[in-house]
Amino acid sequence: MAWADLRAFLTHLDRGGDLRRVRVPVDPRLEVTEIVTRVVRAGGPALLFEKPKGADMPLAINLFGTEARMAAALGVERLDDIGTRIGELLRPELPVGLGGLRSALGKAAQLTSLPPRKVRTAPCQEVVLKGSDVDLDLLPGVHAWPRDGGPFLNLGLTHTKHPETGARNLGMYRLQQHDSRTVGMHWQIHKDSNAHHAVAERRGERLPVAIAFGCDPAVTYASSAPLPADIDEYLFAGFLRRERVEMVDCLTVPLQVPANAQVVLEGWLEPGERIPEGPFGDHTGFYTPIEPFPALHIDVMTMQRDPVFQSIVVGRPPQEDGPMGKATERIFLPLIRMMIPEIVDYDLPEAGVFHNCAIVSIEKRFPKHAQKVMNAVWGAGLLSLSKLIVVVDADCDVHDYHEVAWRAFGNVDYAHDLVTTVGPVDHLDHASYEQSTPSGASSTPTAPRRTKPSCRRTRRARWWPSPAGGACRS
């Protein structure tokens, strides 16, 4: 089923006993993190902090913190159910007989529900704040870790469009609140919105941006999905929901946002402007350093009456984004198998934050078949960021790490079976000698060069939650 909005999903969780309301005041600076970290690691419920200190609206968090809740957020019993739907749509066989024709027409009918639908009025614009009335302090931005550069407005859905083609992009990037009307846009060099910004700057133009918070769960997930640049995230969200997403025109920028969002920020990026952003305690277990990133000046802030702000704590796994990564793994398996038919299954371990390691099982047919698959995986979209690929036979359960380890430790001749290569790495990778390239690789990075690991680790203090939930550093 499709959830009409965030509140509908919260009501579902509340009725099922999977939501806890925290009615006492809780500080978004460090205290929210301490509570959420313990709850996530215990497999606990979603949380609604009704009185976050210093803010003007409740804070919903850990809504996606278990695989069961993530599946419920997307309206299915199991995350694999969505992958099965995608696999059925991708089957190329021609219809045979009346039954086959019905099946083909059924697939086509699914696609008719995908495009978003424009509406004239929307709940997200019930309250409008303009100019000096805009105040980001109304939002319970989370200051998760002691050395963070300030509060971060995580789980914001950032909307941009290509200045020349008009193609829309929906992405999820971290957003640091610099002051009451400015947020930093930490979009990395391989992100589509960064490409839009680069084109706008080349043309000497401002880039319009709209950021929506508290959308319905399918839209929120779609913003994080690794879709190709030419696939509209709202088409994908419609597929997930089995219903079209309602969109409304923004008030001051030429963009559209989900009509049922809780809060929307509208503004412009000035060409050439950068503001220091960070540090940020990331899922890598390290603070990312201070770097210059674009700054969005908010002209208009719209919201529902009595809105709920949704956010997430980012940190060393396990965290709430773990089930979101698992959803991506299961949903996109049919697409991976379409590109690389030999693949039987794959697993992206949460401990590797879903891009540092990929475990792949294949139907091996010839010598060095595994090497062929490795190179294909490294050429498949964001899987190009995989630092380690482990290939096992089809009879190995890739989700059973004990079985995988037994094969890798005892059944491999590393002198002949190990392949090393050079490729891109994630912008946030603290182990790389140069930003966005692996150790020892040469490149011309577009971001500040960092070549000495010792210096880099001096600037990135390692951190992790203590058993009591507080933050420790070394």
Side-chain angles (χ1 to χ4, degrees):
M1 63 175 294
W3 303 108
D5 55 18
L6 175 65
R7 289 183 181 277
F9 185 53
L10 287 171
T11 299
H12 166 77
L13 295 177
D14 202 9
R15 290 175 177 171
D18 208 11
L19 175 72
R20 295 292 183 275
R21 297 176 178 270
V22 182
R23 293 186 167 90
V24 298
V26 176
D27 197 336
R29 178 183 171 86
L30 303 183
E31 195 171 12
V32 164
T33 304
E34 194 275 338
I35 296 171
V36 171
T37 298
R38 286 189 287 117
V39 171
V40 168
R41 297 187 177 186
L47 300 171
L48 183 64
F49 294 97
E50 296 185 344
K51 299 177 181 179
K53 292 182 180 178
D56 200 43
M57 60 189 70
L59 171 63
I61 204 163
N62 198 32
L63 271 60
F64 306 142
T66 65
E67 285 191 39
R69 278 205 300 279
M70 189 70 241
L74 300 180
V76 293
E77 293 289 331
R78 300 165 55 252
L79 294 173
D80 283 288
D81 294 344
I82 301 172
T84 299
R85 283 180 60 206
I86 292 176
E88 290 173 350
L89 287 174
L90 293 175
R91 288 176 186 168
E93 63 265 15
L94 295 174
V96 177
L98 184 59
L101 182 59
R102 285 200 189 100
S103 177
L105 292 175
K107 292 179 182 180
Q110 287 190 57
L111 298 175
T112 62
S113 66
L114 300 187
R117 176 174 57 238
K118 180 181 175 180
V119 296
R120 293 187 177 181
T121 60
C124 71
Q125 295 175 346
E126 291 173 340
V127 178
V128 179
L129 304 178
K130 296 182 178 181
S132 59
D133 290 332
V134 172
D135 187 3
L136 297 178
D137 291 330
L138 297 174
L139 310 177
V142 176
H143 189 129
W145 308 104
R147 290 182 58 186
D148 280 357
F152 283 82
L153 308 176
N154 296 326
L155 225 60
L157 280 59
T158 299
H159 300 73
T160 61
K161 67 177 181 179
H162 195 287
E164 296 173 344
T165 68
R168 172 172 52 204
N169 182 67
L170 172 64
M172 185 179 291
Y173 315 111
R174 85 178 188 223
L175 306 164
Q176 180 178 350
Q177 180 182 334
H178 291 307
D179 56 44
S180 63
R181 292 185 57 189
T182 311
V183 293
M185 308 298 300
H186 189 279
W187 46 39
Q188 299 153 33
I189 59 177
H190 59 277
K191 301 296 186 179
D192 293 328
S193 289
N194 180 61
H196 294 177
H197 186 225
V199 172
E201 286 196 317
R202 187 170 66 243
R203 293 160 58 100
E205 300 174 353
R206 299 190 300 168
L207 183 74
V209 178
I211 306 173
F213 297 92
C215 301
D216 84 73
V219 171
T220 297
Y221 169 73
S223 72
S224 72
L227 297 171
D230 56 348
I231 300 296
D232 186 354
E233 286 81 6
Y234 282 103
L235 293 176
F236 184 57
F239 172 81
L240 294 175
R241 303 175 80 250
R242 298 177 187 263
E243 290 183 13
R244 299 167 71 180
V245 179
E246 292 188 344
M247 309 282 291
V248 68
D249 287 338
C250 291
L251 300 181
T252 59
V253 293
L255 298 167
Q256 293 182 338
V257 291
N260 290 313
Q262 298 291 309
V263 178
V264 176
L265 309 179
E266 301 179 14
W268 298 82
L269 291 176
E270 298 294 336
E273 183 180 12
R274 301 290 189 276
I275 290 181
E277 193 266 3
F280 180 73
D282 220 316
H283 53 242
T284 60
F286 286 75
Y287 285 97
T288 54
I290 297 174
E291 296 180 90
F293 276 92
L296 179 67
H297 302 283
I298 309 302
D299 295 325
V300 170
M301 180 176 179
T302 71
M303 63 187 79
Q304 296 191 25
R305 295 187 182 89
D306 301 319
V308 175
F309 187 78
Q310 185 182 4
S311 190
I312 191 172
V313 170
V314 176
R316 180 176 171 177
Q319 293 290 351
E320 182 183 350
D321 55 2
M324 296 177 71
K326 180 58 69 172
T328 295
E329 175 198 293
R330 305 323 302 163
I331 290 172
F332 287 89
L333 174 60
L335 295 175
I336 299 300
R337 295 181 66 180
M338 183 179 180
M339 293 184 291
I340 314 170
E342 305 96 315
I343 289 180
V344 175
D345 200 357
Y346 77 132
D347 183 277
L348 306 175
E350 182 181 5
V353 291
F354 296 98
H355 62 256
N356 284 336
C357 178
I359 304 170
V360 181
S361 60
I362 66 170
E363 291 283 0
K364 182 179 177 182
R365 298 197 303 272
F366 49 83
K368 301 298 182 181
H369 197 165
Q371 282 85 337
K372 181 262 187 188
V373 170
M374 285 180 183
N375 285 286
V377 170
W378 275 317
L382 288 182
L383 285 174
S384 65
L385 300 179
S386 302
K387 296 172 67 175
L388 172 66
I389 298 176
V390 179
V391 181
V392 295
D393 290 328
D395 63 346
C396 179
D397 181 358
V398 294
H399 309 295
D400 183 344
Y401 298 154
H402 186 275
E403 172 70 10
V404 172
W406 184 81
R407 306 268 184 137
F409 296 162
N411 296 5
V412 176
D413 179 355
Y414 289 99
H416 299 90
D417 297 334
L418 180 66
V419 174
T420 60
T421 188
V422 173
V425 298
D426 184 72
H427 180 103
L428 305 175
D429 183 18
H430 59 276
S432 172
Y433 280 76
E434 293 183 84
Q435 191 170 71
S436 302
T437 61
S439 301
S442 61
S443 70
T444 305
T446 57
R449 182 180 294 269
R450 292 176 287 184
T451 58
K452 295 182 179 179
S454 58
C455 294
R456 192 173 191 183
R457 286 165 186 151
T458 298
R459 290 189 293 162
R460 292 193 187 212
R462 189 175 181 180
W463 62 271
W464 59 88
S466 71
C472 302
R473 299 196 308 272
S474 65

